[in-house]
Amino acid sequence: MFYKIYQNPKYLALATCGFFLSGIIIGLVIEPFQDAKAQWLYSTGELFSYVLVFGSFGWSFLHPFIVYSETKKQWKKHLFWIFIGLIPVLYALISLIWIYISFE
């Protein structure tokens, strides 16, 4: 079963974006617990959020290479899903460019 998911670029791209968005949402949801008595909940949620966001960022960087290596002859057919899988990397790059421009 995992090999079928690993072989289909659509599932990998959607999982990458899903993990990225889940990490961002978890980070926003646990923010009120920073000053509460449940400090352990905040620290655990923050760590989990970082793992999801940075893990999906790393996976998003590797996603095009994985799709190309699995479907060498038909990689152009999966070009849309390659770009969908690159959304976390593109988000980070656009954010860095935006920060750089705003400090000029």
Side-chain angles (χ1 to χ4, degrees):
M1 181 178 153
F2 181 72
Y3 183 71
K4 185 176 181 180
I5 293 172
Y6 182 76
Q7 193 176 13
N8 195 342
K10 178 177 26 176
Y11 296 135
L12 287 176
L14 292 176
T16 303
C17 292
F19 289 144
F20 185 71
L21 289 175
S22 298
I24 290 174
I25 290 171
I26 288 172
L28 293 174
V29 168
I30 63 161
E31 197 64 35
F33 294 104
Q34 185 174 6
D35 295 328
K37 291 181 180 179
Q39 181 68 27
W40 63 272
L41 183 63
Y42 175 75
S43 61
T44 305
E46 184 180 35
L47 177 66
F48 190 63
S49 173
Y50 285 150
V51 167
L52 284 176
V53 169
F54 291 122
S56 66
F57 177 72
W59 187 259
S60 174
F61 184 74
L62 294 175
H63 179 72
F65 301 114
I66 293 170
V67 171
Y68 180 74
S69 70
E70 289 292 321
T71 59
K72 289 182 183 176
K73 295 180 182 178
Q74 299 174 349
W75 71 272
K76 290 181 183 178
K77 183 175 137 182
H78 303 293
L79 197 58
F80 176 74
W81 294 110
I82 289 173
F83 284 123
I84 295 296
L86 282 173
I87 286 177
V89 170
L90 294 174
Y91 177 79
L93 288 176
I94 290 170
S95 298
L96 289 174
I97 292 169
W98 184 267
I99 290 170
Y100 180 73
I101 290 172
S102 67
F103 282 121
E104 282 290 314

mmCIF file of all heavy atoms in Angstrom, residues 17-33 45-46 48-50 52-53 91:
data_model
loop_
_atom_site.group_PDB
_atom_site.id
_atom_site.type_symbol
_atom_site.label_atom_id
_atom_site.label_comp_id
_atom_site.label_asym_id
_atom_site.label_seq_id
_atom_site.Cartn_x
_atom_site.Cartn_y
_atom_site.Cartn_z
ATOM 1 N N CYS A 17 1.586 19.208 1.222
ATOM 2 C CA CYS A 17 0.852 20.450 1.510
ATOM 3 C C CYS A 17 -0.018 20.309 2.752
ATOM 4 O O CYS A 17 -0.158 21.257 3.527
ATOM 5 C CB CYS A 17 0.003 20.843 0.310
ATOM 6 S SG CYS A 17 0.972 21.348 -1.106
ATOM 7 N N GLY A 18 -0.589 19.134 2.949
ATOM 8 C CA GLY A 18 -1.415 18.897 4.142
ATOM 9 C C GLY A 18 -0.604 18.967 5.422
ATOM 10 O O GLY A 18 -1.039 19.559 6.411
ATOM 11 N N PHE A 19 0.581 18.367 5.423
ATOM 12 C CA PHE A 19 1.448 18.448 6.605
ATOM 13 C C PHE A 19 1.894 19.882 6.857
ATOM 14 O O PHE A 19 1.962 20.329 7.996
ATOM 15 C CB PHE A 19 2.661 17.540 6.461
ATOM 16 C CG PHE A 19 2.347 16.079 6.563
ATOM 17 C CD1 PHE A 19 3.025 15.166 5.785
ATOM 18 C CD2 PHE A 19 1.375 15.614 7.428
ATOM 19 C CE1 PHE A 19 2.747 13.817 5.877
ATOM 20 C CE2 PHE A 19 1.086 14.276 7.526
ATOM 21 C CZ PHE A 19 1.768 13.371 6.748
ATOM 22 N N PHE A 20 2.192 20.610 5.800
ATOM 23 C CA PHE A 20 2.613 21.999 5.939
ATOM 24 C C PHE A 20 1.496 22.849 6.551
ATOM 25 O O PHE A 20 1.724 23.592 7.517
ATOM 26 C CB PHE A 20 3.030 22.542 4.574
ATOM 27 C CG PHE A 20 3.584 23.928 4.610
ATOM 28 C CD1 PHE A 20 4.823 24.174 5.163
ATOM 29 C CD2 PHE A 20 2.878 24.982 4.075
ATOM 30 C CE1 PHE A 20 5.351 25.451 5.198
ATOM 31 C CE2 PHE A 20 3.389 26.253 4.092
ATOM 32 C CZ PHE A 20 4.635 26.498 4.655
ATOM 33 N N LEU A 21 0.302 22.732 6.016
ATOM 34 C CA LEU A 21 -0.829 23.500 6.552
ATOM 35 C C LEU A 21 -1.196 23.054 7.965
ATOM 36 O O LEU A 21 -1.555 23.891 8.805
ATOM 37 C CB LEU A 21 -2.040 23.365 5.630
ATOM 38 C CG LEU A 21 -1.924 24.091 4.298
ATOM 39 C CD1 LEU A 21 -3.125 23.782 3.428
ATOM 40 C CD2 LEU A 21 -1.792 25.580 4.510
ATOM 41 N N SER A 22 -1.095 21.766 8.252
ATOM 42 C CA SER A 22 -1.373 21.274 9.605
ATOM 43 C C SER A 22 -0.389 21.847 10.612
ATOM 44 O O SER A 22 -0.776 22.225 11.719
ATOM 45 C CB SER A 22 -1.303 19.750 9.642
ATOM 46 O OG SER A 22 -2.265 19.189 8.818
ATOM 47 N N GLY A 23 0.872 21.918 10.232
ATOM 48 C CA GLY A 23 1.875 22.504 11.124
ATOM 49 C C GLY A 23 1.601 23.966 11.408
ATOM 50 O O GLY A 23 1.736 24.428 12.550
ATOM 51 N N ILE A 24 1.200 24.711 10.393
ATOM 52 C CA ILE A 24 0.881 26.126 10.588
ATOM 53 C C ILE A 24 -0.354 26.283 11.467
ATOM 54 O O ILE A 24 -0.379 27.110 12.396
ATOM 55 C CB ILE A 24 0.687 26.820 9.227
ATOM 56 C CG1 ILE A 24 2.028 26.915 8.510
ATOM 57 C CG2 ILE A 24 0.091 28.213 9.406
ATOM 58 C CD1 ILE A 24 1.944 27.457 7.113
ATOM 59 N N ILE A 25 -1.379 25.490 11.222
ATOM 60 C CA ILE A 25 -2.614 25.579 12.011
ATOM 61 C C ILE A 25 -2.358 25.181 13.463
ATOM 62 O O ILE A 25 -2.858 25.835 14.387
ATOM 63 C CB ILE A 25 -3.721 24.729 11.362
ATOM 64 C CG1 ILE A 25 -4.159 25.383 10.053
ATOM 65 C CG2 ILE A 25 -4.901 24.550 12.301
ATOM 66 C CD1 ILE A 25 -5.074 24.539 9.215
ATOM 67 N N ILE A 26 -1.593 24.127 13.686
ATOM 68 C CA ILE A 26 -1.277 23.715 15.060
ATOM 69 C C ILE A 26 -0.511 24.816 15.774
ATOM 70 O O ILE A 26 -0.761 25.113 16.946
ATOM 71 C CB ILE A 26 -0.489 22.387 15.062
ATOM 72 C CG1 ILE A 26 -1.418 21.242 14.681
ATOM 73 C CG2 ILE A 26 0.135 22.117 16.426
ATOM 74 C CD1 ILE A 26 -0.713 19.928 14.456
ATOM 75 N N GLY A 27 0.418 25.456 15.069
ATOM 76 C CA GLY A 27 1.157 26.564 15.669
ATOM 77 C C GLY A 27 0.258 27.719 16.079
ATOM 78 O O GLY A 27 0.475 28.357 17.105
ATOM 79 N N LEU A 28 -0.763 27.989 15.283
ATOM 80 C CA LEU A 28 -1.692 29.071 15.615
ATOM 81 C C LEU A 28 -2.647 28.680 16.748
ATOM 82 O O LEU A 28 -3.010 29.517 17.581
ATOM 83 C CB LEU A 28 -2.499 29.459 14.375
ATOM 84 C CG LEU A 28 -1.712 30.119 13.245
ATOM 85 C CD1 LEU A 28 -2.601 30.307 12.031
ATOM 86 C CD2 LEU A 28 -1.140 31.441 13.697
ATOM 87 N N VAL A 29 -3.056 27.429 16.779
ATOM 88 C CA VAL A 29 -4.015 26.975 17.784
ATOM 89 C C VAL A 29 -3.380 26.899 19.175
ATOM 90 O O VAL A 29 -4.035 27.216 20.177
ATOM 91 C CB VAL A 29 -4.612 25.602 17.371
ATOM 92 C CG1 VAL A 29 -5.381 24.961 18.502
ATOM 93 C CG2 VAL A 29 -5.500 25.779 16.156
ATOM 94 N N ILE A 30 -2.125 26.525 19.287
ATOM 95 C CA ILE A 30 -1.499 26.356 20.599
ATOM 96 C C ILE A 30 -0.956 27.659 21.168
ATOM 97 O O ILE A 30 -0.499 27.689 22.306
ATOM 98 C CB ILE A 30 -0.368 25.312 20.562
ATOM 99 C CG1 ILE A 30 0.734 25.772 19.634
ATOM 100 C CG2 ILE A 30 -0.885 23.965 20.201
ATOM 101 C CD1 ILE A 30 2.033 25.080 19.877
ATOM 102 N N GLU A 31 -1.012 28.732 20.414
ATOM 103 C CA GLU A 31 -0.465 30.006 20.885
ATOM 104 C C GLU A 31 -1.108 30.505 22.190
ATOM 105 O O GLU A 31 -0.408 31.045 23.051
ATOM 106 C CB GLU A 31 -0.612 31.058 19.779
ATOM 107 C CG GLU A 31 0.254 32.267 19.958
ATOM 108 C CD GLU A 31 1.737 31.945 19.904
ATOM 109 O OE1 GLU A 31 2.142 31.053 19.144
ATOM 110 O OE2 GLU A 31 2.487 32.591 20.646
ATOM 111 N N PRO A 32 -2.425 30.361 22.413
ATOM 112 C CA PRO A 32 -3.004 30.811 23.685
ATOM 113 C C PRO A 32 -2.489 30.050 24.909
ATOM 114 O O PRO A 32 -2.611 30.536 26.035
ATOM 115 C CB PRO A 32 -4.502 30.581 23.516
ATOM 116 C CG PRO A 32 -4.735 30.532 22.066
ATOM 117 C CD PRO A 32 -3.482 29.993 21.471
ATOM 118 N N PHE A 33 -1.902 28.874 24.731
ATOM 119 C CA PHE A 33 -1.419 28.079 25.856
ATOM 120 C C PHE A 33 -0.017 28.493 26.314
ATOM 121 O O PHE A 33 0.547 27.865 27.197
ATOM 122 C CB PHE A 33 -1.407 26.596 25.494
ATOM 123 C CG PHE A 33 -2.777 26.033 25.281
ATOM 124 C CD1 PHE A 33 -3.244 25.791 24.004
ATOM 125 C CD2 PHE A 33 -3.604 25.764 26.352
ATOM 126 C CE1 PHE A 33 -4.498 25.279 23.791
ATOM 127 C CE2 PHE A 33 -4.863 25.247 26.167
ATOM 128 C CZ PHE A 33 -5.317 25.007 24.876
ATOM 129 N N GLY A 45 3.207 21.036 21.508
ATOM 130 C CA GLY A 45 2.564 21.466 20.266
ATOM 131 C C GLY A 45 3.493 22.285 19.388
ATOM 132 O O GLY A 45 3.471 22.157 18.162
ATOM 133 N N GLU A 46 4.320 23.107 20.014
ATOM 134 C CA GLU A 46 5.272 23.903 19.255
ATOM 135 C C GLU A 46 6.304 23.003 18.565
ATOM 136 O O GLU A 46 6.631 23.197 17.396
ATOM 137 C CB GLU A 46 5.965 24.906 20.173
ATOM 138 C CG GLU A 46 6.894 25.847 19.469
ATOM 139 C CD GLU A 46 7.553 26.811 20.435
ATOM 140 O OE1 GLU A 46 7.839 26.419 21.578
ATOM 141 O OE2 GLU A 46 7.798 27.947 20.006
ATOM 142 N N PHE A 48 5.886 19.826 17.764
ATOM 143 C CA PHE A 48 5.179 19.084 16.722
ATOM 144 C C PHE A 48 4.931 19.960 15.492
ATOM 145 O O PHE A 48 5.069 19.516 14.352
ATOM 146 C CB PHE A 48 3.862 18.542 17.279
ATOM 147 C CG PHE A 48 3.173 17.577 16.395
ATOM 148 C CD1 PHE A 48 3.762 16.368 16.058
ATOM 149 C CD2 PHE A 48 1.919 17.861 15.880
ATOM 150 C CE1 PHE A 48 3.128 15.470 15.228
ATOM 151 C CE2 PHE A 48 1.279 16.975 15.057
ATOM 152 C CZ PHE A 48 1.883 15.777 14.725
ATOM 153 N N SER A 49 4.605 21.232 15.728
ATOM 154 C CA SER A 49 4.395 22.164 14.630
ATOM 155 C C SER A 49 5.685 22.383 13.842
ATOM 156 O O SER A 49 5.673 22.390 12.606
ATOM 157 C CB SER A 49 3.880 23.491 15.182
ATOM 158 O OG SER A 49 3.823 24.463 14.167
ATOM 159 N N TYR A 50 6.801 22.553 14.534
ATOM 160 C CA TYR A 50 8.089 22.723 13.857
ATOM 161 C C TYR A 50 8.457 21.489 13.040
ATOM 162 O O TYR A 50 8.957 21.608 11.917
ATOM 163 C CB TYR A 50 9.201 23.019 14.854
ATOM 164 C CG TYR A 50 9.191 24.424 15.397
ATOM 165 C CD1 TYR A 50 9.666 24.687 16.665
ATOM 166 C CD2 TYR A 50 8.719 25.488 14.647
ATOM 167 C CE1 TYR A 50 9.672 25.966 17.175
ATOM 168 C CE2 TYR A 50 8.707 26.766 15.147
ATOM 169 C CZ TYR A 50 9.192 27.007 16.411
ATOM 170 O OH TYR A 50 9.194 28.275 16.896
ATOM 171 N N LEU A 52 6.413 19.294 11.706
ATOM 172 C CA LEU A 52 5.554 19.215 10.525
ATOM 173 C C LEU A 52 5.953 20.237 9.466
ATOM 174 O O LEU A 52 6.055 19.906 8.278
ATOM 175 C CB LEU A 52 4.089 19.418 10.911
ATOM 176 C CG LEU A 52 3.378 18.254 11.570
ATOM 177 C CD1 LEU A 52 1.974 18.655 11.981
ATOM 178 C CD2 LEU A 52 3.323 17.071 10.640
ATOM 179 N N VAL A 53 6.196 21.472 9.869
ATOM 180 C CA VAL A 53 6.500 22.522 8.898
ATOM 181 C C VAL A 53 7.863 22.291 8.252
ATOM 182 O O VAL A 53 7.990 22.307 7.025
ATOM 183 C CB VAL A 53 6.421 23.918 9.559
ATOM 184 C CG1 VAL A 53 6.984 24.983 8.636
ATOM 185 C CG2 VAL A 53 4.987 24.247 9.908
ATOM 186 N N TYR A 91 6.500 28.994 -0.771
ATOM 187 C CA TYR A 91 6.028 29.854 0.317
ATOM 188 C C TYR A 91 7.204 30.425 1.109
ATOM 189 O O TYR A 91 7.230 31.619 1.423
ATOM 190 C CB TYR A 91 5.102 29.055 1.233
ATOM 191 C CG TYR A 91 4.617 29.820 2.436
ATOM 192 C CD1 TYR A 91 3.584 30.726 2.322
ATOM 193 C CD2 TYR A 91 5.196 29.628 3.690
ATOM 194 C CE1 TYR A 91 3.126 31.420 3.421
ATOM 195 C CE2 TYR A 91 4.751 30.323 4.792
ATOM 196 C CZ TYR A 91 3.717 31.220 4.656
ATOM 197 O OH TYR A 91 3.278 31.912 5.751
#
